[in-house]
Amino acid sequence: MADVALVMTEAGGDLLLDGLDLARDDGLETAVIISLFTDRRAEPDQIPPELPQDDLRGYWGDVQPFVEGDRTGSLLWLLAREKQLPQTLARAEQYCRDALAWMIEDRVATRVDVAASHLSMGWMLIVVDLYRPQGERVQYRYNYEWSAQAAKRAA
């Protein structure tokens, strides 16, 4: 089954067009983009003290998920005010693995590897390797800008 194709741009996620029509994604990239860059609802004890304590965010569709306990998105948004430290990269990798775990549960992938690194000041590179059941590896690379996340709060 094909999804509407999403691509990541410097401004965020965007729909891809095919002429005057929406393009289709027969692969996994749209699912990866939604999984990583939709804000998952946080638990109150997960909110860092420097962020508004009443802003738990979350995807509206998780109010009544089709499968009990399913949650969409990642907690990457919690890193908006974090410093560029190795511990922050480790948390980012864990948030990404958690967000993509459904792919293993649903047998879309047999393994998911995530690596995060500091690309430059204020930017993190996220590399996702998905291993399909047929054995092939698919890789996706995303530049994640901290300041863009912090700006969402100021707006």
Side-chain angles (χ1 to χ4, degrees), residues 3 25-36 93 96-115 126-142:
D3 289 323
D25 176 13
D26 293 323
L28 296 174
E29 186 162 24
T30 296
V32 172
I33 290 171
I34 291 170
S35 295
L36 294 181
E93 290 172 354
C96 291
R97 280 191 294 276
D98 292 346
L100 297 168
W102 71 268
M103 292 186 155
I104 295 171
E105 293 165 10
D106 289 358
R107 296 187 173 115
V108 174
T110 57
R111 188 172 110 206
V112 176
D113 292 336
V114 177
I126 299 171
V127 179
V128 176
D129 288 315
L130 298 175
Y131 294 86
R132 301 295 305 252
Q134 301 82 3
E136 75 265 16
R137 177 181 65 100
V138 183
Q139 185 176 83
Y140 301 104
R141 301 166 64 87
Y142 302 103

Side-chain angles (χ1 to χ4, degrees), residues 40 62-72 105:
R40 176 179 282 187
D62 288 344
V63 172
Q64 289 206 334
F66 184 68
V67 176
E68 186 64 35
D70 268 4
R71 296 191 311 166
T72 302
E105 293 165 10

Side-chain angles (χ1 to χ4, degrees), residues 80 122-123 144-152:
W123 288 86
Y144 186 79
E145 182 182 17
W146 261 282
S147 61
Q149 298 305 308
K152 279 187 196 178

Side-chain angles (χ1 to χ4, degrees), residues 47-114:
I47 306 294
E50 64 272 8
L51 296 179
Q53 297 301 298
D54 61 345
D55 182 12
L56 302 178
R57 297 210 186 170
Y59 171 61
W60 63 268
D62 288 344
V63 172
Q64 289 206 334
F66 184 68
V67 176
E68 186 64 35
D70 268 4
R71 296 191 311 166
T72 302
S74 76
L75 294 173
L76 284 172
W77 66 272
L78 291 175
L79 303 177
R81 303 240 185 235
E82 296 283 334
K83 295 181 180 179
Q84 290 185 249
L85 299 170
Q87 307 90 287
T88 307
L89 291 176
R91 284 181 50 213
E93 290 172 354
Q94 186 59 53
Y95 290 160
C96 291
R97 280 191 294 276
D98 292 346
L100 297 168
W102 71 268
M103 292 186 155
I104 295 171
E105 293 165 10
D106 289 358
R107 296 187 173 115
V108 174
T110 57
R111 188 172 110 206
V112 176
D113 292 336
V114 177

